[in-house]
Amino acid sequence: MKQINIGLLGCGTVGTGVAKLLIESSSVITSRLGAILNLKRVADIDIETDRGVQFPQGVLTTDAHTVVNDPDIDIIVEMIGGEGIARELILGAIENGKQVITANKALLASQGNTLFQAAADKGVDLAFEAAVGGCMPIIKSMRESLVANQINSMTGILNGTCNYILTKITDERMPFEDALSEAQQKGYAEADPSLDVEGIDTAHKIAILTALAYGMNINLPNVFIEGISKITPLDVAFAEHFGYRIKLLAISKNKGNQVQARVHPTMIPFDNLLSSVNGTVNAIMVSGDAVGDIMLYGRGAGMMPTASSVISDAVDIARNLMAGTSQRIPALCVQKEHIQNINIMPMDEIETHYYFRFAALDKPGVLSTISGILGRHDISIQSMQQKGRKTNGSVPVVMISHVAKEADVRKALAEIDHLDVVSQPTMLIRIEDEKLD
Ligand code: HSE
């Protein structure tokens, strides 16, 4: 039976999962592929630790370059992460004419255009299903299943750590810092948790998906990013009062000659399916002109769910190799000559509904001063709530706006936050609720 040789670079959590599947699920993979995916070499700086996998003799090495340069290896699986050595090894593998699989969303988001071009020039594939949404087959869905659709929008929960933290703040009214500590103890967060909680990991993922959806290059620098570190149990309670849950959403919308791509905490109504996606789970809703709405839901991180996606890439590539082909599906969905120069809309131009929580002194005239400033900036209030006890002489006053322009909101809040009667910066959370329109 034909054998396809795999070289695995990095044997951390996901790398170990890949090795486990290749060794322990070999018969099921072979029965579907009609060939053997053989784990020929595994490179890691630590080859002593017992990972609970029975590696055959001579498979482990500390030298990743020998794996990349091994002429018998057909597919390199990069599971190292980061943008340094991982990039060098991927480019080396491509240069050697090898097919490459990566889960490295940070690297693809920042340098994917160059790496995909290098792979195309060499006539090899650079596959990346595991880079977005763990086990959810979102890349395959975008590149293959939805190929007949014009994509209208994508809305996703794409970071398990943030979703776990927000679930804790919501269900247990736990402060952000305590919820983050729990997430770190459970091993969900990235080594640098700011990548998770500041929304950067989510931005990497939506930058990649936005390119796939609309036929454009990856444009991470223009994705708007705001994290969840300022979300408090008080905001969660007010959100519930108005019928909303707070989620860190990646939002991407097709606006004709521009697109929106933004990551920020967002209030969504209880009846939005994404509001029930809790804990470390990820989900994404894609709206296409032919399909309407579809939703994927599943584990966005972790050893075996993410490894499952890596193996699906390996099987796709192996099938191509067996058919004597490669580059069958363009990396960014559309043929190179059809990639368009599409702008990501500046955040100032976004129009949506807003939640404001003002820390205002509880005395006559304060509300009219605040609403006067909002009015002068074309921001109209849909509903209002003042509740709770004074802290340091101020009370939380919450307002929900009609559709307003982000630039106007920023100008108004800059004025309001300078008032003597306002004791803290105003909390702003954007709302996605079609029923408010
Ligand atoms: N830290 C990421 C998360 C891992 O929490 O979802 C998967 O990208």
Side-chain angles (χ1 to χ4, degrees):
M1 185 175 282
K2 181 156 176 69
Q3 188 163 292
I4 311 277
N5 287 324
I6 296 192
L8 173 63
L9 310 180
C11 204
T13 305
V14 180
T16 300
V18 170
K20 265 182 194 281
L21 284 178
L22 287 174
I23 293 168
E24 295 166 13
S25 300
S26 169
S27 62
V28 73
I29 296 169
T30 303
S31 70
R32 288 166 178 166
L33 175 61
I36 296 165
L37 287 183
N38 174 47
L39 183 59
K40 182 151 190 290
R41 300 305 304 273
V42 177
D44 197 277
I45 45 172
D46 167 18
I47 57 171
E48 301 302 329
T49 301
D50 179 6
R51 295 173 167 87
V53 184
Q54 285 292 326
F55 290 106
Q57 195 73 23
V59 164
L60 290 169
T61 173
T62 54
D63 184 356
H65 289 96
T66 59
V67 180
V68 167
N69 293 325
D70 183 335
D72 291 339
I73 286 180
D74 304 292
I75 306 175
I76 291 290
V77 178
E78 183 277 305
M79 296 285 122
I80 297 169
E83 297 179 42
I85 185 73
R87 175 182 184 276
E88 184 191 317
L89 290 166
I90 287 174
L91 284 171
I94 291 171
E95 189 51 38
N96 288 342
K98 299 190 189 306
Q99 315 294 320
V100 179
I101 299 169
T102 183
N104 194 332
K105 61 252 165 170
L107 180 63
L108 291 181
S110 67
Q111 297 178 57
N113 301 322
T114 312
L115 295 172
F116 291 133
Q117 187 57 53
D121 290 346
K122 199 71 191 177
V124 297
D125 280 309
L126 172 54
F128 55 101
E129 183 64 68
V132 182
C135 71
M136 297 191 303
I138 182 62
I139 303 296
K140 203 176 187 65
S141 299
M142 299 303 294
R143 296 204 314 175
E144 299 183 52
S145 317
L146 298 175
V147 76
N149 286 260
Q150 170 134 331
I151 303 299
N152 298 322
S153 67
M154 297 175 291
T155 313
I157 293 172
L158 298 177
N159 184 275
T161 304
C162 288
N163 206 38
Y164 176 86
I165 291 171
L166 289 173
T167 302
K168 283 275 165 186
I169 299 176
T170 302
D171 291 353
E172 300 174 31
R173 298 294 194 253
M174 192 183 270
F176 167 81
E177 290 75 17
D178 296 356
L180 172 60
S181 299
E182 273 202 18
Q184 285 178 295
Q185 278 158 26
K186 288 183 187 283
Y188 301 144
E190 299 279 325
D192 172 3
S194 68
L195 285 177
D196 294 303
V197 299
E198 297 308 336
I200 299 161
D201 177 77
T202 304
H204 290 154
K205 295 165 180 168
I206 202 66
I208 295 168
L209 291 180
T210 297
L212 292 178
Y214 312 121
M216 56 193 269
N217 276 317
I218 299 171
N219 181 357
L220 178 66
N222 288 346
V223 175
F224 175 81
I225 312 174
E226 185 181 295
I228 61 166
S229 56
K230 294 199 188 105
I231 301 294
T232 66
L234 181 62
D235 296 306
V236 164
F238 274 119
E240 283 175 4
H241 168 85
F242 288 104
Y244 298 124
R245 289 221 192 292
I246 303 175
K247 294 288 181 189
L248 182 73
L249 290 193
I251 299 171
S252 178
K253 293 185 183 178
N254 185 349
K255 295 282 175 186
N257 54 0
Q258 291 197 94
V259 300
Q260 293 184 5
R262 46 192 168 108
V263 174
H264 50 72
T266 312
M267 289 191 184
I268 48 175
F270 294 146
D271 62 5
N272 182 322
L273 288 175
L274 291 172
S275 82
S276 324
V277 174
N278 290 319
T280 55
V281 177
N282 282 198
I284 185 161
M285 206 174 275
V286 181
S287 174
D289 62 349
V291 288
D293 291 339
I294 65 158
M295 185 164 162
L296 297 175
Y297 171 100
R299 303 242 160 257
M303 179 187 283
M304 300 318 289
T306 312
S308 163
S309 285
V310 173
I311 299 300
S312 101
D313 276 343
V315 167
D316 275 350
I317 288 177
R319 285 182 174 139
N320 285 345
L321 290 174
M322 289 157 76
T325 183
S326 66
Q327 286 275 312
R328 211 168 45 81
I329 302 164
L332 292 177
C333 245
V334 298
Q335 301 295 331
K336 190 173 172 250
E337 62 275 19
H338 290 280
I339 289 189
Q340 293 179 67
N341 213 352
I342 303 175
N343 283 338
I344 294 181
M345 192 186 277
M347 196 60 192
D348 268 359
E349 291 175 23
I350 301 283
E351 295 189 350
T352 189
H353 299 270
Y354 293 84
Y355 156 100
F356 305 121
R357 175 169 54 78
F358 303 103
L361 292 190
D362 195 6
K363 58 187 214 183
V366 171
L367 271 184
S368 70
T369 306
I370 290 175
S371 54
I373 294 173
L374 293 172
R376 270 195 284 109
H377 288 92
D378 259 351
I379 302 160
S380 163
I381 298 308
Q382 207 252 1
S383 47
M384 202 208 102
Q385 167 88 352
Q386 179 178 333
K387 204 174 170 185
R389 301 174 57 191
K390 279 186 201 172
T391 44
N392 301 327
S394 60
V395 285
V397 176
V398 165
M399 295 182 189
I400 303 284
S401 80
H402 286 290
V403 168
K405 199 169 180 183
E406 180 92 9
D408 294 333
V409 166
R410 284 177 199 267
K411 282 185 219 148
L413 294 192
E415 260 185 61
I416 290 168
D417 288 351
H418 268 94
L419 295 173
D420 290 342
V421 292
V422 168
S423 61
Q424 284 168 26
T426 300
M427 182 70 183
L428 167 166
I429 303 178
R430 298 166 191 87
I431 302 171
E432 288 284 309
D433 180 2
E434 283 168 11
K435 292 195 291 290
L436 270 184
D437 291 342

